Amino acid sequence: MARKLVVGNWKLNGSLAANEALLAACEALAGVDMAVCVPFPYLAQVASRLGGMALGAQTVSEFQSGAYTGEVSAEMLAEMGCRYVIVGHSERRALFGEDDATVGRKAAAALRAGLVPIVCVGESLSERDAGRVMEVIGRQLDAVRESIGAQGLSRTVIAYEPVWAIGTGRAASAEEAQAVHAAIRRQLAKYGAPAAEIRILYGGSVKTDNAQALFAMPDVDGGLIGGASLVAQDFMAVCRAAITGD
């Protein structure tokens, strides 16, 4: 995978004024694909100020329409100009009860609407210490594969986010990230998906001081960036670290 993808995840942050200032200080760069996933109320504002970056949302309903108060469908996101949507983020799994099967159905809903789901997978610290990293990630990927098949997986982005590294300031080393990314790619190949063509991003305290080492790894195809995406200087520095020569 020659060209890398860097996606900012604003989480539950932003205001009209703050968004305006942040976007004014960001610009699309040659040699890297860039996107921002923002809270639903700001999709229209951000869509008008992207300047070459792609738009994404942070979650999506598994339902297309109906009596599901508070839900937002993939078709609605597509209509607002979204290209990407995050599904299965560890915060959605832990705080909002999304299980593996739900994540699979959300990925399927995104694909039906023409969106690219960014499917998040990752283990907790206790699971890592118990040597269960790929057991956990394999189970998470299995559920997605059951919903969308190998052909559907070819149209996704996978984001490896070790739960113990999200928002903690503690990141996996470049070598640790590479080992898991390579294992994920092998798992995708076992499904019959075109593993070499599927982007696998690293997310988990990616910052200006570790981005270059992470992105230099052969199976790390970019990053899903949390806190650093809220500071224009930091986000742009991370994106510059991901620039390839193509």
Side-chain angles (χ1 to χ4, degrees), residues 155-179:
R155 297 157 55 204
T156 70
V157 171
I158 307 297
Y160 169 54
E161 294 201 312
V163 179
W164 47 271
I166 299 174
T168 64
R170 175 183 175 185
S173 70
E175 293 74 19
E176 288 172 329
Q178 166 59 24

Side-chain angles (χ1 to χ4, degrees), residues 2 27 42 57 89 100 117 129 145 171 179 192 231:
E27 60 178 342
Y42 300 132
H89 192 283
D100 296 337
D129 289 344
R145 190 271 306 264
V231 180

Side-chain angles (χ1 to χ4, degrees), residues 123-211:
E123 81 286 358
S124 68
L125 183 58
S126 63
E127 290 165 339
R128 168 167 278 270
D129 289 344
R132 299 178 55 218
V133 176
M134 282 313 297
E135 175 190 337
V136 172
I137 293 174
R139 184 200 73 222
Q140 294 168 339
L141 289 173
D142 282 347
V144 176
R145 190 271 306 264
E146 289 175 8
S147 287
I148 66 175
Q151 196 279 334
L153 282 168
S154 71
R155 297 157 55 204
T156 70
V157 171
I158 307 297
Y160 169 54
E161 294 201 312
V163 179
W164 47 271
I166 299 174
T168 64
R170 175 183 175 185
S173 70
E175 293 74 19
E176 288 172 329
Q178 166 59 24
V180 178
H181 280 232
I184 290 172
R185 207 175 297 281
R186 289 192 295 271
Q187 183 70 30
L188 294 171
K190 289 179 182 177
Y191 295 147
E197 301 173 12
I198 298 173
R199 281 168 160 163
I200 306 176
L201 312 183
Y202 175 76
S205 296
V206 179
K207 300 183 183 301
T208 57
D209 59 358
N210 65 2

Side-chain angles (χ1 to χ4, degrees), residues 14-128:
S15 69
L16 291 174
N19 302 346
E20 188 74 18
L22 176 57
L23 293 167
C26 293
E27 60 178 342
L29 301 174
V32 59
D33 293 332
M34 299 165 58
V36 289
C37 293
V38 308
F40 292 141
Y42 300 132
L43 287 173
Q45 178 199 22
V46 175
S48 70
R49 294 301 310 271
L50 282 172
M53 295 185 287
L55 181 65
Q58 299 172 9
T59 188
V60 65
S61 177
E62 64 184 274
F63 305 109
Q64 185 173 16
S65 63
Y68 302 106
T69 300
E71 291 286 85
V72 176
S73 73
E75 288 76 13
M76 294 173 182
L77 296 180
E79 191 172 40
M80 293 301 296
C82 286
R83 171 168 173 75
Y84 296 100
V85 62
I86 300 170
V87 298
H89 192 283
S90 66
E91 291 160 0
R92 299 295 309 179
R93 295 177 189 261
L95 301 177
F96 300 97
E98 295 186 7
D99 60 17
D100 296 337
T102 300
V103 174
R105 292 191 296 270
K106 289 190 171 195
L111 289 174
R112 285 194 299 270
L115 301 178
V116 177
I118 301 173
V119 179
C120 296
V121 298
E123 81 286 358
S124 68
L125 183 58
S126 63
E127 290 165 339
R128 168 167 278 270

